[in-house]
């Protein structure tokens, strides 16, 4: 048995949530939470209203206006014979696509990837981790499979998943989720194991509380705080991993703009035309920063042990 | 992110500063004056240039092997290992004599017993070799230095084929190696060329190393193209693998390497601004971008729809989007390459002008049922990446439905040989590039082979083109060849096998103390000198 | 203890078998065809089919699997489809750069991150804490390849302190070896510094609120002693866990870093092999990585007993 008998190897807190209405008020008082939420909301809004603020179609290529510097203008002849002049606030890329429009549309995809990867990995990991932690007979099987999954380098696992199906949004999300799941499972399992040893849980077991009730009442609440922190990391890192998959040439196809693939495409020209990396990079870094701040804030607020110290 | 801003401001100054620094950082432990450190376009993984057609392996072949004939800088075939040859009056018997002093790297003399199996093994793999083999009645060694080839029927292709400059090149190998089954890779790397392969130092993915072969006796003529005296002027050539284009350029500017075979076009301004670096257009004929159709599935199984595509596209958009700088590209509607003997506009005059109205009209006449064009997009090869998006946009403007699928080049290579329907892992169109030296006539250019199942991927089946190609192989004069080539191009303009999307040029880059890089269809490293200083 | 280690080692066998099955199936189901890649750009369909037959790819999948499993059990990793070399040869050529890079990265990360994390926890809420946490957030938010390019631009191109790319073998001298690895190791360590500093701060904060710390302080022990002897030691379990997880992440980071700096290590061998569908090489590397990973996990678990005497096996 690999489980430590008396203590959790992960010290991410394991104390029940204070289920009081004051939590919301406390959250609002945390500057990290407020700033983080504000930035994330701004980014989400940019993504939602992208069609309104984009100056041109983010996938329209214009070979005559490639590699323009920020604020340059270009003219494109439309199919109906009219001419349209566009100002490229963030320049254009090697296909003459407008970087500003790509960045605002990219907000949609990048944020969607971050959030969906976080939700998927946390919920899948939670279910598997609970099962492993609670049902001893399942534990060994699940953990061996998780060990196997974790043992395969994440990037390689991702390449395989992407090439199994067509490169696209769904396959990239799955490719990032699969290697994240075992880490969530380990975290959840260790929390469950340590909570099980707590006297009040043992008492409940002795008193014949049904398993499901036990899990929902006593064990589930203990996983919330650490999972929020973990979910934060996952959301932030998913946005980055997407960029790295693009760097390795197996990310989301460039006709769907994401901050990651705009940067990956622009990286070769980093020394001459840094705008291809600079602008999506700022958006990406700001968003990741905000998500992390939000996670920190939530954590400090939800974790009563921190509070004690004042 | 702050530093990114800084780098934009100082980018010009940065290039100059990097040059000035090169002197200090360039003198690394291995930076001895007579080692040429080179970054090639790809990694050397396979080392049998007869077995594969990959260009990097062809380049390896030119390092360690020699050829019977070779193309000079004017495009003329010249004897290389052959000293002299005679042709009988009926043009059916060729007698060749090898020149003196040819040695293998294991110091055994080269004899005709080595040459004949080498020709046979090459002819078993190479499409042009197979055509020529059909004309050959017998090959016999008369003595160790003389051999004779008897033809069944006259052809102008024999000498041209023996001097074929690009993949597959008829490289000469020792008898025991040349007798390897053509379907199996060779395991021994003994050639008779100016450099020897240092097998112990070959680390795929890292480097391949060549040492000067002291026993090589070059021809007395000056080097010209792939012909003339191959004099190795450096002791060692190291092919270093740097997969990141920008890093290769950084390394060149820092003096960590001496030469880049194919630097990315978009990064050339950095090199132009650096006085320690020079650009050199070594492949004068250049390359040709090509769109290949899959002729076995809808929509491109219909010649009229293929012709609609020919009307919808234009070369300039592709060239601008990939190469950018007009100095390095040329709009050219001649399929057999502008600047070559068979250059012609025949049949192409009104095509490739993005005439969307004409394209729509043809689609309507052909009854195009909006079957999606599955367009393969390779995302990891700089010179190809931007082609597919341009094709997609132009196709869509002409009324095609396009399903562009992105993947790495290796997957494209695997995918394009699959004959499944496009919806089940097959494809309709893909884009690639040819070295101009490989497509100078309709027999050698693989995409004109229209023999259905036996043709290259895309599998066009067009008896008319096949008949013309057979006539070309028998053509006695250049005028006749030209006339047939025109007929082929006219036929292709009606029922395209593939579409040529313009010529482009790939300059190499080298430190300014490097000189003597020859102009040839392949990069070769004899004749290159490395001077003192960084 | 010994029997525990033996049991754990025995438990690696099913893990490795799971990995082997998963990897084998995954590779055989991917659309790439190594034969087409080997044959080159101008190959005909027949040439490709010939190569497939030669490589044994036309055999039934199950048969391919057992042939491969059999040779692995005999200690034969097979031969690369591409290079005229055995997989064993290829891996042994590439292991030195990757080990060196991983080693330097971990040392760098631990040496920088743990003091930073302790400091941030000790000065919680002050500007020091904010700077450390700010750095850790930035470390998470910038892709590795951008960090690499920035460091190269500043320290290799502008300042010329380090080479732009490449790896010097340690047999050629420790100094050139070290010099060639400084930028790659720093690039790779940024994210681990962030990760470990964050986890150290969290854990130390938690421990600092425990009663025995108050007791220690009340007894008049110096703050440094309180921090590094009591707090850090008790916070060590999660930190070690993170360092252990970090090693798994490291393998992914190595892939990108080795590409940026042209370091001929296992990471690049992996990417090259995956892109070329060089099945024997991929299978062997993944098995090797899995084995290393399992070993590291074992070591991490064993180290718990050192840091936290309450844990026994």
């Amino acid at each position: 048995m690999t489980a430590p008998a008396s203590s959790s190897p992960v010290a991410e807190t394991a104390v029940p949530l204070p289920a009081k209405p004051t939590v919301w008020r406390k959250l609002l008082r945390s500057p990290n939470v407020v700033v983080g939420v504000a930035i994330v909301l701004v980014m989400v809004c940019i993504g939602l209203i992208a069609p309104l603020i984009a100056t041109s179609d983010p996938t329209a290529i214009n070979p005559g206006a490639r590699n323009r510097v920020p604020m340059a203008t270009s003219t494109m002849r439309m199919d109906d014979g009219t001419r349209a002049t566009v100002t490229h606030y963030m320049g254009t890329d090697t296909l003459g696509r407008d970087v500003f429009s790509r960045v605002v549309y990219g907000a949609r995809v990048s944020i969607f990837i971050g959030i969906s990867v976080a939700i998927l990995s946390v919920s899948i990991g939670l279910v598997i981790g609970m099962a492993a932690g609670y049902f001893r007979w399942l534990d060994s099987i699940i953990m061996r499979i998780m060990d196997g999954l974790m043992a395969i380098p994440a990037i390689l696992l991702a390449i395989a998943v992407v090439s199994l199906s067509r490169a696209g949004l769904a396959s990239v999300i799955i490719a990032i989720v699969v290697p994240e799941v075992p880490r969530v499972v380990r975290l959840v399992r260790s929390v469950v194991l340590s909570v099980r040893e707590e006297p009040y849980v043992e008492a409940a077991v002795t008193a014949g509380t049904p398993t499901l009730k036990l899990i929902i009442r006593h064990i589930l609440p203990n996983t919330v705080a650490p999972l929020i922190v973990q979910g934060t990391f996952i959301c932030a890192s998913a946005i980055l991993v997407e960029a790295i998959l693009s760097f390795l040439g197996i990310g989301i196809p460039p006709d769907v703009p994401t901050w990651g693939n705009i940067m990956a495409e622009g990286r070769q020209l980093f020394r001459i035309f840094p705008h291809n990396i600079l602008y999506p990079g700022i958006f990406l870094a700001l968003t990741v920063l905000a998500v992390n701040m939000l996670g920190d804030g939530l954590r400090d607020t939800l974790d009563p042990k921190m509070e004690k110290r004042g | 992110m702050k530093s990114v801003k800084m780098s934009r401001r100082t980018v010009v100054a940065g290039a100059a500063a990097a040059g000035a620094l090169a002197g200090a950082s360039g003198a690394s432990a291995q930076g001895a004056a007579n080692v040429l450190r080179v970054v090639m376009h790809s990694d050397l993984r396979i080392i049998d240039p007869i077995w594969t057609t990959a260009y990097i392996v062809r380049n390896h072949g030119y390092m360690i092997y020699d050829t019977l004939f070779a193309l000079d800088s004017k495009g003329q075939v010249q004897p290389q290992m052959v000293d002299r040859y005679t042709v009988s009056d009926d043009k059916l018997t060729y007698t060749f004599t090898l020149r003196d002093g040819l040695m293998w790297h294991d110091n055994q003399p080269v004899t005709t017993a080595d040459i004949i199996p080498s020709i046979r093994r090459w002819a078993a793999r190479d499409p042009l070799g197979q055509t020529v083999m059909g004309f050959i009645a017998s090959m016999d060694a008369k003595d160790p230095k003389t051999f004779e080839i008897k033809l069944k029927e006259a052809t102008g292709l024999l000498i041209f084929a023996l001097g074929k400059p690009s993949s597959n090149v008829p490289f000469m190998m020792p008898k025991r190696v040349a007798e390897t089954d053509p379907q199996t890779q060779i395991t021994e790397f003994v050639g008779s060329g100016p450099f020897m392969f240092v097998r112990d130092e070959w680390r795929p993915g890292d480097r391949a190393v060549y040492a000067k072969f002291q026993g090589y006796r070059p021809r007395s003529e000056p080097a010209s193209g792939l012909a003339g005296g191959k004099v190795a002027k450096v002791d060692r050539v190291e092919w270093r693998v740097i997969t990141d284009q920008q890093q290769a350029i950084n390394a060149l500017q820092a003096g960590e390497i001496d030469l880049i075979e194919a630097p990315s076009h978009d990064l050339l301004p950095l090199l132009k601004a650096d006085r320690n670096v020079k650009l050199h257009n070594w492949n004068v004929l250049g390359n040709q971008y090509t769109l290949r159709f899959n002729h076995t599935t809808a929509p491109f199984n219909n010649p009229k729809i293929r012709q609609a595509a020919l009307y919808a596209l234009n070369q300039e958009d592709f060239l601008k989007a990939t190469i950018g700088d007009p100095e390095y590209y040329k709009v050219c509607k001649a399929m057999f390459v502008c600047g070559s003997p068979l250059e012609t506009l025949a049949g192409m005059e009104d095509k490739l002008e993005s005439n969307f109205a004409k394209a729509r009209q043809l689609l309507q006449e052909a009854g195009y049922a909006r079957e999606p064009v599955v367009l393969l997009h390779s995302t990891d090869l700089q010179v190809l990446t931007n082609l597919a998006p341009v094709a997609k946009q132009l196709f869509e403007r002409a009324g095609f439905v396009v399903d562009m699928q992105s993947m790495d080049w290796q997957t494209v290579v695997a995918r394009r040989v699959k004959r499944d329907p496009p919806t089940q892992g097959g494809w309709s169109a893909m884009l690639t590039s040819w070295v101009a030296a490989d497509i100078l006539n309709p027999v050698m250019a693989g995409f004109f082979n229209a023999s259905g199942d036996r043709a290259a991927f895309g599998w066009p089946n067009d008896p008319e083109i096949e008949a013309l190609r057979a006539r070309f192989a028998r053509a006695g004069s250049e005028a006749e060849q030209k006339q047939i080539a025109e007929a082929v191009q006219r036929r292709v303009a009606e029922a395209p096998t593939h579409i040529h999307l313009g010529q482009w040029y790939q300059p190499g880059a080298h430190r300014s103390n490097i000189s003597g890089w020859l102009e040839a269809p392949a990069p070769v490293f004899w004749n290159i000198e490395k001077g003192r200083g960084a | 203890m010994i029997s525990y280690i033996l049991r754990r080692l025995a438990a690696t066998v099913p893990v490795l078998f799971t990995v082997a099955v998963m990897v084998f199936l995954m590779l055989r189901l991917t659309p790439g065809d190594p034969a087409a890649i080997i044959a080159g750009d101008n190959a005909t369909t027949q040439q490709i089919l010939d190569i497939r037959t030669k490589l044994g790819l036309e055999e039934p999948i199950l048969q391919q699997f057992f042939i491969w499993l059999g040779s692995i059990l005999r200690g034969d990793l097979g031969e690369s489809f591409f290079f005229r070399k055995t997989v064993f040869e290829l891996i042994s050529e590439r292991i030195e750069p990757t080990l060196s890079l991983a080693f330097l990265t971990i040392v760098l990360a631990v040496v920088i991150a743990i003091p930073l994390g302790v400091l941030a926890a000790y000065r919680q809420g002050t500007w020091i804490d904010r700077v450390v946490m700010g750095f850790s957030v930035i470390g998470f938010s910038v892709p590795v390849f951008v960090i690499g390019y920035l460091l190269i631009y500043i320290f290799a191109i502008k300042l010329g302190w380090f080479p732009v790319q490449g790896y010097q073998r340690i047999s050629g001298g420790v100094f050139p070896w070290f010099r060639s690895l400084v930028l790659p190791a720093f690039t790779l360590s940024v994210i681990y510094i962030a990760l470990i500093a964050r986890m150290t701060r969290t854990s130390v904060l938690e421990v600092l609120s425990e009663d025995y710390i108050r007791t220690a302080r009340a007894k008049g022990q110096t703050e440094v002693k309180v921090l590094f002897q009591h707090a850090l030691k008790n916070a060590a379990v999660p930190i070690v866990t993170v360092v252990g997880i970090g090693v798994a992440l490291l393998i992914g980071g190595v892939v990108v870093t080795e590409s940026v700096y042209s370091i001929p290590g296992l990471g690049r061998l992996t990417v090259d092999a995956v892109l070329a569908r060089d099945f024997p090489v991929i299978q062997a590397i993944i098995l090797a990585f899995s084995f290393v990973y399992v070993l590291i996990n074992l070591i991490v678990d064993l180290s718990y007993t050192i840091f936290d005497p309450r844990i026994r096996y």
Side-chain angles (χ1 to χ4, degrees):
Chain A
M1 201 60 250
T2 66
S6 61
S7 171
S8 145
V10 174
E12 290 287 2
T13 175
V15 169
L17 274 179
K20 292 176 203 155
T22 54
V23 168
W24 291 105
R25 212 174 302 152
K26 279 185 204 151
L27 282 179
L28 280 177
R29 256 188 276 135
S30 155
N32 274 346
V33 172
V34 174
V35 176
V37 166
I39 296 176
V40 171
L41 277 182
V42 168
M43 292 296 174
V44 170
C45 284
I46 288 176
L48 288 178
I49 61 164
L52 299 177
I53 49 178
T55 49
S56 51
D57 176 354
T59 61
I61 60 179
N62 183 1
R66 60 201 300 271
N67 292 331
R68 293 288 160 89
V69 293
M71 298 316 288
T73 59
S74 80
T75 308
M76 198 180 179
R77 201 164 58 87
M78 299 288 141
D79 276 349
D80 54 13
T82 59
R83 281 170 187 279
T85 300
V86 178
T87 302
H88 303 290
Y89 301 123
M90 297 179 182
T92 65
D93 66 8
T94 61
L95 276 168
R97 293 176 296 202
D98 181 57
V99 175
F100 174 72
S101 306
R102 290 180 74 70
V103 167
V104 294
Y105 270 96
R108 287 183 168 192
V109 189
S110 292
I111 294 174
F112 179 74
I113 291 173
I115 292 175
S116 48
V117 167
I119 291 176
L120 281 176
S121 349
V122 165
S123 23
I124 298 173
L126 181 65
V127 172
I128 302 179
M130 292 277 236
Y134 201 84
F135 303 106
R136 289 278 161 138
W137 57 274
L138 259 179
D139 187 50
S140 225
I141 303 168
I142 290 179
M143 290 323 283
R144 287 301 81 73
I145 295 175
M146 290 301 132
D147 284 348
L149 265 183
M150 268 178 104
I152 303 178
I155 296 290
L156 196 58
L157 200 56
I159 295 176
V161 173
V162 172
S163 28
L164 266 177
S165 49
R166 267 180 68 179
L169 191 58
S171 55
V172 165
I173 290 178
I174 296 170
I176 308 176
V177 166
V178 172
E180 292 286 359
V181 166
R183 274 180 255 162
V184 180
V185 170
R186 281 172 76 100
L187 178 71
V188 173
R189 173 179 169 273
S190 64
V191 172
V192 174
L193 285 179
S194 68
V195 174
R196 273 178 61 113
E197 306 293 331
E198 298 283 335
Y200 65 91
V201 177
E202 289 200 9
V205 173
T206 323
T209 318
T211 307
L212 196 65
K213 194 176 171 192
L214 199 70
I215 287 177
I216 292 172
R217 264 281 190 70
H218 298 291
I219 297 183
L220 199 59
N222 283 289
T223 63
V224 171
L227 280 185
I228 283 173
V229 179
Q230 192 81 356
T232 306
F233 280 122
I234 293 174
C235 176
S237 87
I239 298 176
L240 287 176
V241 172
E242 188 271 316
I244 285 169
L245 288 180
S246 296
F247 171 87
L248 294 173
I250 51 157
I252 291 174
D255 45 335
V256 180
T258 71
W259 293 331
N261 67 22
I262 304 170
M263 291 170 84
E265 278 190 277
R267 74 181 200 279
Q268 289 294 354
L269 302 182
F270 178 58
R271 281 180 61 192
I272 312 182
F273 301 112
H275 63 259
N276 280 328
I277 283 199
L278 181 67
Y279 294 108
I282 289 174
F283 276 71
L284 184 141
L286 257 181
T287 308
V288 175
L289 181 110
V291 175
N292 278 329
M293 283 170 71
L294 177 60
D296 281 353
L298 287 172
R299 191 180 170 290
D300 290 345
T301 318
L302 300 181
D303 185 343
K305 271 197 155 180
M306 292 272 169
E307 213 179 51
K308 270 191 231 159
R309 205 163 33 253
Chain B
M1 284 299 117
K2 213 177 202 169
S3 339
V4 182
K5 214 170 224 158
M6 177 196 79
S7 79
R8 193 174 75 230
R9 247 191 291 120
T10 55
V11 73
V12 179
L21 279 166
S25 52
S28 73
Q30 298 174 335
N34 248 346
V35 178
L36 193 68
R37 299 155 303 172
V38 177
V39 171
M40 300 298 283
H41 70 275
S42 128
D43 179 23
L44 181 73
R45 298 174 173 185
I46 299 167
I47 25 67
D48 187 342
I50 303 301
W51 194 74
T52 178
T53 54
Y55 286 141
I56 187 72
V57 189
R58 171 203 65 186
N59 300 346
H60 161 81
Y62 274 115
M63 295 299 283
I64 70 169
Y65 299 110
D66 213 345
T67 54
L68 294 172
F69 290 87
L71 219 55
D72 69 12
S73 59
K74 296 188 187 68
Q76 301 297 313
V77 181
Q78 302 291 350
Q80 179 53 260
M81 291 169 84
V82 164
D83 184 44
R84 58 187 184 277
Y85 72 101
T86 56
V87 187
S88 65
D89 292 339
D90 58 4
K91 306 218 163 153
L92 290 180
T93 306
Y94 287 67
T95 310
F96 303 88
T97 307
L98 299 178
R99 64 190 171 89
D100 290 329
L102 298 174
M103 297 290 273
W104 297 113
H105 295 159
D106 57 5
N107 291 318
Q108 299 300 309
V110 176
T111 72
T112 47
D114 303 307
I115 301 299
I116 290 174
S118 293
I119 298 176
R120 282 193 192 284
R121 185 163 188 269
W122 163 76
R125 300 283 308 179
D126 183 68
L128 181 61
Q130 286 160 4
T131 306
V132 168
M133 216 53 191
F135 285 89
I136 292 180
S138 66
M139 291 194 283
D140 293 297
K142 293 284 146 189
D143 61 59
K145 311 203 71 174
T146 318
F147 68 103
E148 188 179 85
I149 296 181
K150 282 206 161 84
L151 302 181
K152 292 182 225 163
E153 122 183 59
T155 173
L157 290 177
L158 178 63
I159 300 298
F160 180 80
L162 292 177
K164 192 182 177 211
S166 193
S167 296
N168 302 71
V169 180
F171 291 118
M172 294 301 122
M173 301 178 180
K175 180 169 188 283
R176 60 180 185 281
V177 179
E179 282 174 346
T180 310
D181 173 12
Q183 309 301 335
T184 308
Q185 291 185 61
I186 57 172
T187 50
E188 208 187 320
F189 319 109
V190 172
S192 64
F195 292 97
M196 294 185 296
F197 188 54
V198 186
R199 192 182 191 285
D200 293 346
E201 294 187 51
W202 175 44
R203 287 196 293 271
D206 180 18
R207 67 185 60 193
V209 178
Y210 303 88
K212 179 178 179 174
F213 175 44
Q214 301 297 346
Y216 185 77
R217 194 171 322 156
R219 295 186 73 91
S220 53
E221 299 95 334
S224 164
L226 299 166
K230 299 178 173 180
V231 183
K233 297 179 178 174
V234 290
D235 297 331
R236 270 165 75 93
V237 178
E238 294 180 3
W239 290 3
R240 305 271 184 90
V241 177
I242 302 182
T243 44
D244 186 313
Q245 283 279 340
Q246 183 163 261
Q247 276 292 78
I249 278 164
N250 291 342
L252 182 72
Q253 291 191 298
E256 289 169 24
I257 57 167
D258 300 308
L259 188 149
I260 305 178
E261 181 199 354
S264 165
H265 287 89
D266 281 328
L267 294 170
L268 292 179
L270 283 177
L271 296 176
K272 281 183 177 167
D274 188 337
R275 59 188 174 79
N276 290 313
V277 173
K278 287 197 171 77
L279 297 178
H280 175 60
N281 189 21
W282 49 272
N283 175 11
V284 195
L285 276 179
N287 312 275
Q288 189 187 72
Y289 281 131
T290 308
L291 178 134
R292 179 65 159 180
F293 297 112
N294 182 353
H295 296 246
T296 59
T297 58
F300 290 135
N301 54 2
N302 183 336
K304 210 158 208 173
I305 294 180
R306 296 201 298 275
Q307 204 190 22
L310 186 56
Y311 275 103
L313 303 182
N314 77 83
Q315 296 187 338
E316 184 111 31
D317 277 3
F318 288 95
L319 294 166
K320 266 189 192 162
T322 45
I323 308 301
D325 185 345
E327 190 183 338
Y328 298 110
Y329 70 72
K330 185 194 230 163
V331 171
C332 167
K333 291 187 186 179
M335 300 195 88
F336 302 111
V337 179
C338 285
S340 84
L342 298 183
E343 172 181 351
T344 172
L345 259 181
M348 292 292 168
E349 296 85 353
D350 61 334
K351 318 286 192 312
L352 287 169
E353 298 282 346
S354 276
N355 183 345
F356 297 123
K358 176 78 180 170
R360 280 174 193 279
Q361 183 203 329
L362 282 170
L363 284 182
Q364 203 174 1
E365 285 170 23
Y368 175 54
R370 300 186 63 75
E371 300 97 342
V373 171
V374 173
L375 181 65
L376 304 187
H377 174 209
S378 69
T379 49
D380 57 339
L381 279 190
Q382 193 80 17
V383 289
L384 298 179
T385 303
N386 285 355
L387 292 174
V390 174
K392 176 179 193 262
Q393 178 149 318
L394 294 175
F395 275 153
E396 281 175 349
R397 287 171 72 176
F400 282 94
V401 177
V402 181
D403 174 12
M404 184 168 80
Q405 303 191 4
S406 303
M407 58 201 78
D408 62 74
W409 173 247
Q410 307 289 21
T411 310
V412 174
V413 169
R415 183 90 177 261
R416 69 185 185 186
V417 298
K418 287 209 188 328
R419 307 187 61 166
D420 309 314
T423 44
Q424 293 161 32
W427 58 285
S428 319
M430 56 86 58
L431 293 130
T432 183
S433 180
W434 285 85
V435 169
D438 276 343
I439 52 169
L440 297 174
N441 71 50
V443 173
M444 72 189 300
F447 278 1
F448 287 94
N449 182 337
S451 56
D453 290 351
R454 280 177 298 122
F457 55 87
W459 313 279
N461 192 345
D462 191 328
E464 195 178 329
I465 294 178
E466 281 304 281
L468 287 168
R469 290 178 74 233
R471 268 180 61 205
F472 187 93
R474 287 171 181 78
S477 68
E478 275 188 26
E480 196 185 343
Q481 286 186 343
K482 173 122 194 186
Q483 186 216 335
I484 300 169
E486 277 182 18
V488 171
Q489 187 166 309
R490 277 214 183 80
R491 173 63 190 162
V492 169
E494 293 302 314
T497 48
H498 59 286
I499 296 179
H500 49 307
L501 297 173
Q503 265 168 260
W504 58 281
Y505 304 91
Q506 176 64 68
H510 58 85
R511 304 279 307 165
S512 49
N513 61 328
I514 303 294
S515 60
W517 190 352
L518 292 165
E519 286 180 358
V524 290
F525 295 95
W526 59 82
N527 203 52
I528 293 185
E529 270 178 274
K530 184 171 179 178
R532 295 264 157 220
Chain C
M1 191 72 172
I2 299 286
S3 75
Y4 170 74
I5 294 176
L6 286 178
R7 260 185 293 131
R8 281 292 301 266
L9 279 176
T12 63
V13 175
V15 173
L16 293 181
F17 185 79
T18 323
V19 171
V21 174
M22 282 198 290
V23 167
F24 190 88
L25 285 181
M26 214 143 61
L27 291 179
R28 292 311 194 271
L29 296 177
T30 52
D33 182 355
I37 302 164
I38 295 169
D41 284 2
N42 310 342
T44 62
T45 318
Q46 186 57 42
Q47 284 177 345
I48 291 165
L49 192 69
D50 290 342
I51 296 172
R52 282 187 65 83
T53 314
K54 271 252 132 64
L55 296 177
L57 292 170
E58 292 288 294
E59 310 285 330
I61 284 194
L62 208 63
Q63 199 173 330
Q64 289 185 45
F65 179 71
F66 284 110
I67 291 173
W68 174 66
L69 201 65
S71 53
I72 292 280
L73 291 178
R74 287 194 308 273
D76 173 14
L77 294 177
E79 188 175 318
S80 156
F81 282 172
F82 285 86
F83 318 128
R84 310 290 316 172
K85 296 197 166 200
T86 63
V87 174
F88 182 78
E89 248 183 297
L90 280 173
I91 292 184
S92 21
E93 282 171 7
R94 303 299 196 95
I95 211 156
E96 184 200 307
T98 302
L99 275 185
S100 309
L101 179 60
F103 172 74
L104 267 188
T105 303
I106 292 172
V107 169
L108 205 62
V110 167
V111 163
I112 296 177
I114 291 183
L116 279 183
V118 172
L119 195 66
Y122 181 61
R123 293 272 177 232
Q124 195 205 1
T126 66
W127 65 269
I128 297 178
D129 184 22
R130 285 198 197 102
V131 166
V132 171
M133 291 316 284
F135 172 81
S136 102
V137 167
I138 289 169
F140 277 119
S141 16
V142 185
V144 178
F145 59 88
V146 177
I147 297 173
Y149 286 141
L150 280 175
L151 292 179
I152 290 166
Y153 185 70
I154 298 166
F155 294 102
I157 298 177
K158 295 293 282 181
L159 299 174
W161 292 351
F162 303 103
V164 166
Q165 50 82 44
Y167 172 74
Q168 302 290 337
R169 295 201 165 246
I170 198 162
S171 55
V174 172
F175 181 69
W177 168 81
F178 181 74
R179 196 166 162 263
S180 74
L181 281 175
V182 171
L183 288 185
F186 196 76
T187 306
L188 188 52
S189 68
V190 168
I191 194 157
Y192 304 109
I193 293 176
L195 183 70
I196 296 170
R198 214 179 148 90
M199 188 51 83
T200 305
R201 175 181 176 275
T202 308
S203 315
V204 171
L205 275 182
E206 212 137 277
V207 173
L208 282 179
S209 65
E210 299 281 352
D211 293 340
Y212 59 86
I213 295 287
R214 277 188 220 148
T215 317
R217 276 183 174 147
K219 278 200 222 150
Q221 289 189 350
T222 63
E223 282 298 298
V224 173
K225 206 174 173 194
V226 168
L227 274 179
F228 283 89
Q229 196 170 323
H230 295 284
L232 190 58
K233 196 180 167 196
N234 285 291
V237 167
I239 295 172
V240 170
T241 307
V242 161
V243 174
I245 290 172
V247 172
L249 288 170
L250 198 73
I251 294 166
V254 158
V255 171
V256 176
T257 312
E258 288 185 352
S259 293
V260 170
Y261 289 94
S262 296
I263 295 170
L266 288 175
R268 262 190 45 211
L269 182 63
T270 314
V271 175
D272 288 351
V274 168
L275 292 180
R277 316 284 186 262
D278 195 344
F279 296 156
V281 177
I282 308 173
Q283 288 160 355
I285 294 181
I286 291 183
L287 272 185
F289 274 144
S290 315
F291 187 65
V292 169
Y293 177 80
V294 172
L295 272 189
I296 286 172
N297 263 353
L298 178 58
I299 295 169
V300 167
D301 283 357
L302 289 180
S303 72
Y304 293 157
T305 56
I306 300 167
F307 292 112
D308 189 346
R310 284 174 301 169
I311 300 173
R312 272 201 201 89
Y313 296 105

